[in-house]
Amino acid sequence: MTYGTVQYSESAGTATITLNRPDKRNAISYELIDDLIAVLKKAAASPAQVIILTGAGKAFCSGMDMENLKELTGRSDEQNLQDSVTMASLFRTLYDFPKPTIAAVNGAAIAGGTGLATQCDFTLAVPEAKFGYTEVRIGFIPAIVSSFLIANIGEKRARDLLLTGRIFGAEEAHRLGLVNEIVPPERLMARAQELAAQLLENSPASLQATKKLLSSYTREQLDRQVAQAVQGNAGIRQTTDFKEGITAFLEKRKPTWTGK
């Protein structure tokens, strides 16, 4: 089966998933979300025991697709809620994936791209990689990723990143614990393959049981938090600030906030 926005391959026990919209800096479109969920299900059922997630071109994932952003301000309450449920499903599928996952972050990973990169069990990044939970800068909220971020780095640090919406580099991401290793660009995929080979030396049954156990520690809390986040994600789209933020972003101007 072929996919319009991702590439999938398997070799020597490893499946590689490549976000394949290089002309759009691998921005998250509705099609990409559907393709990525589908390909993750395929990888889960495959003989591959380790998954590598990376991006084609110079970016890992630049966040929400601009064409889809244009549509958001005109969607109904029901559509907004379904969008939020689908996005939550993507992040939860990656977080709870039964096999070890490695993100090979080859460039910018912004907003939802940061979420994808840091949901993996291991995150490798090139020195030039950039990260950021930039949603508040366009009147949105980083609702769904917030629960996972707090679990990774703690509430105080998460508040800094989520409330400022600032961009931060690979070194800071490494210090915060969001990135495991910083790797030269020419070594990124080779290092990901080396890590995959190390994981393949372990018992597949033990790896999957360990992942299942780790997920079980936070499942009930995440269920509650993600359910709240879905509602918040959908609800913010009805605000004046959200509509102004999206419009200003698309028009490349500073927004005029009203707080409504």
Side-chain angles (χ1 to χ4, degrees):
M1 181 176 178
T2 58
Y3 303 89
T5 63
V6 301
Q7 291 180 337
Y8 179 84
S9 63
E10 292 180 25
S11 178
T14 301
T16 300
I17 300 170
T18 304
L19 307 180
N20 191 34
R21 304 185 74 212
D23 57 321
K24 301 291 187 181
R25 295 172 60 80
N26 302 317
I28 299 174
S29 64
Y30 297 129
E31 183 184 6
L32 186 140
I33 293 171
D34 290 342
D35 283 351
L36 192 48
I37 291 174
V39 85
L40 284 169
K41 290 180 180 178
K42 177 177 180 177
S46 77
Q49 294 302 318
V50 180
I51 310 303
I52 297 174
L53 177 65
T54 192
K58 296 182 179 180
F60 177 78
C61 176
S62 60
M64 192 71 178
D65 179 84
M66 291 188 68
E67 291 301 316
N68 288 166
L69 278 176
K70 290 178 184 178
E71 299 176 15
L72 289 183
T73 56
R75 292 175 78 79
S76 68
D77 292 350
E78 293 78 12
Q79 288 173 317
N80 285 330
L81 184 60
Q82 185 54 55
D83 287 347
S84 301
V85 168
T86 302
M87 183 64 80
S89 175
L90 171 59
F91 286 126
R92 199 62 187 268
T93 297
L94 189 56
Y95 182 81
D96 289 328
F97 198 76
K99 303 171 184 180
T101 55
I102 303 167
V105 183
N106 54 304
I110 306 299
T114 300
L116 292 177
T118 56
Q119 296 298 85
C120 292
D121 298 310
F122 301 89
T123 304
L124 313 179
V126 299
E128 300 80 13
K130 300 293 183 183
F131 303 87
Y133 299 90
T134 56
E135 286 86 347
V136 294
R137 295 165 66 175
I138 61 169
F140 208 16
I141 56 173
I144 294 167
V145 297
S146 61
S147 295
F148 304 104
L149 180 63
I150 289 171
N152 276 331
I153 67 173
E155 184 177 345
K156 193 71 171 180
R157 288 175 168 177
R159 283 175 180 264
D160 169 16
L161 301 182
L162 297 175
L163 294 175
T164 65
R166 63 186 177 84
I167 301 295
F168 54 100
E171 287 286 351
E172 183 174 0
H174 185 250
R175 291 197 303 272
L176 290 170
L178 293 172
V179 166
N180 296 88
E181 297 178 33
I182 298 176
V183 184
E186 66 275 11
R187 282 275 303 147
L188 180 64
M189 292 308 294
R191 176 62 189 130
Q193 293 288 353
E194 290 171 0
L195 179 54
Q198 181 181 353
L199 292 165
L200 287 167
E201 293 179 359
N202 300 330
S203 158
S206 294
L207 288 174
Q208 293 195 34
T210 300
K211 286 208 64 177
K212 185 175 181 180
L213 179 64
L214 292 172
S215 291
S216 74
Y217 293 153
T218 56
R219 181 171 294 111
E220 290 184 5
Q221 179 178 338
L222 276 176
D223 285 345
R224 291 192 303 272
Q225 291 174 337
V226 170
Q228 287 178 295
V230 164
Q231 295 295 326
N233 189 295
I236 196 70
R237 300 184 189 195
Q238 301 305 313
T239 65
T240 301
D241 271 3
F242 173 76
K243 294 171 184 177
E244 166 62 11
I246 295 296
T247 302
F249 177 75
L250 294 172
E251 294 177 353
K252 299 182 179 179
R253 61 172 174 83
K254 289 190 68 173
T256 302
W257 303 123
T258 64
K260 298 179 181 179

